[in-house]
Amino acid sequence: MMDDSEDIWLSLKPIEPLPSQCCGSGCKPCIYDIYQKELEQWKEAKARKDRSLLTRKKQGLINGLEVQRAYTPISPVNAEGYFEVLIKCYEAGLMSKYVKSWKEGDVVFWRGPFGGFPYTANKYGELFMLASGTGLAPMLPIIKYITDNEDDETFVTLVGCFRSFENIYLKSLLQEQSQFWNIRTFYVLSQEHSLENLPWSFREKTHIGRINENLIKSMMKTCRKQPFVLICGSVTFNEDMEKYLKAIGLGEESYFIF
């Protein structure tokens, strides 16, 4: 006979996530959304004294049907038969643990692509890109699309915000693209202490500290044409960038947030 004591049900109750387990990137569903859903199912199972409801829930998680994350392809726009994504894995992240378990030859399920920024050649005089961490991802296909098209004369100023030089993603690709006449890259490193610790090729285009309104304003003044701004990062980063742009005087028609 199955034991339905209070202690047994309490042992099966979902554990509330720690704040450190949330990446803060606005994932849908968030780890807290998943917890609330599990908690409601646990309450229903407890009320009905039916543990099979919990078993089905766990099976769904194992199959990856409940834990979903949105990733942006970094492969070229015209790529056929494949796509590449930039994924940052967190030590305690649910999806991160799943991604780390992948082995060559495994089959995983993807949906999309959905949404995005509808770029067309020469639509803007200059694009001013503000990217934080993996927010770099949606900027890369646009830059590559521009540099692959010799008729596209759009200027690009990319501002990548990272914690340290070691945290800059895809350095070689960024360096390669910045060799084109119409592409500039700048870096803002919040936890570096001195430019002397960086390779000489990065020193002139790197700022130490956090990005702020004054820094954005000074960088935009160096743009060759009135820029259209693209923003991608965490929810907090996006909100801060939008606040700075509005303070500078840009309207909502002058920027796009991924």
Side-chain angles (χ1 to χ4, degrees):
M1 183 175 179
M2 189 172 289
D3 186 356
D4 283 314
S5 67
E6 186 70 18
D7 287 342
I8 292 297
W9 279 105
L10 286 175
S11 70
L12 297 172
K13 185 177 181 180
I15 299 174
E16 184 173 359
L18 298 172
S20 60
Q21 291 179 281
C22 178
C23 67
S25 298
C27 300
K28 294 183 180 181
C30 172
I31 188 174
Y32 287 105
D33 297 329
I34 295 171
Y35 165 70
Q36 289 298 330
K37 198 170 183 179
E38 287 183 330
L39 185 61
E40 290 301 317
Q41 191 150 4
W42 175 81
K43 289 178 181 178
E44 181 183 357
K46 183 173 182 292
R48 295 186 181 184
K49 296 184 178 180
D50 184 357
R51 294 191 206 173
S52 67
L53 296 176
L54 300 178
T55 303
R56 287 200 296 270
K57 175 65 176 177
K58 290 178 181 178
Q59 182 66 34
L61 283 171
I62 292 173
N63 289 338
L65 299 177
E66 291 295 331
V67 182
Q68 302 178 36
R69 295 293 183 268
Y71 297 113
T72 302
I74 62 171
S75 42
V77 175
N78 58 356
E80 296 183 3
Y82 77 97
F83 66 92
E84 299 171 310
V85 293
L86 177 63
I87 300 176
K88 180 178 181 179
C89 289
Y90 295 86
E91 184 176 349
L94 288 179
M95 192 65 185
S96 297
K97 292 178 181 178
Y98 178 51
V99 171
K100 289 178 182 178
S101 73
W102 293 349
K103 299 179 179 62
E104 186 175 351
D106 285 351
V107 176
V108 296
F109 296 92
W110 296 79
R111 293 186 300 158
F114 304 109
F117 176 65
Y119 176 78
T120 55
N122 298 307
K123 182 177 180 179
Y124 306 97
E126 180 156 356
L127 292 174
F128 188 83
M129 300 175 169
L130 294 166
S132 174
T134 52
L136 175 70
M139 311 302 183
L140 296 176
I142 298 173
I143 293 175
K144 193 71 169 61
Y145 184 80
I146 292 172
T147 56
D148 283 346
N149 182 358
E150 61 181 14
D151 295 323
D152 194 339
E153 298 183 349
T154 304
F155 291 105
V156 175
T157 297
L158 170 66
V159 182
C161 303
F162 302 92
R163 292 182 179 180
S164 67
F165 177 76
E166 293 299 322
N167 291 134
I168 299 176
Y169 300 118
L170 304 171
K171 293 186 186 73
S172 59
L173 176 61
L174 294 176
Q175 288 287 79
E176 173 190 302
Q177 293 299 304
S178 65
Q179 298 302 310
F180 285 86
W181 64 274
N182 53 340
I183 309 296
R184 298 189 303 169
T185 55
F186 293 102
Y187 301 98
V188 181
L189 306 179
S190 61
Q191 294 183 9
E192 286 287 353
H193 301 294
S194 172
L195 292 175
E196 294 180 0
N197 298 327
L198 277 57
W200 67 267
S201 58
F202 281 84
R203 293 179 187 178
E204 288 188 1
K205 53 187 179 182
T206 299
H207 298 264
I208 301 299
R210 292 187 174 277
I211 192 166
N212 53 45
E213 179 185 333
N214 289 333
L215 183 55
I216 293 175
K217 185 185 297 184
S218 64
M219 287 181 171
M220 290 184 69
K221 284 182 179 179
T222 66
C223 290
R224 286 144 286 198
K225 298 184 179 181
Q226 179 62 36
F228 184 87
V229 184
L230 300 179
I231 304 169
C232 190
S234 66
V235 173
T236 301
F237 177 83
N238 293 347
E239 290 175 348
D240 286 344
M241 297 307 104
E242 184 173 27
K243 178 179 65 177
Y244 297 150
L245 293 179
K246 287 182 176 179
I248 293 171
L250 270 66
E252 293 184 1
E253 72 285 352
S254 299
Y255 59 85
F256 177 87
I257 302 176
F258 286 93

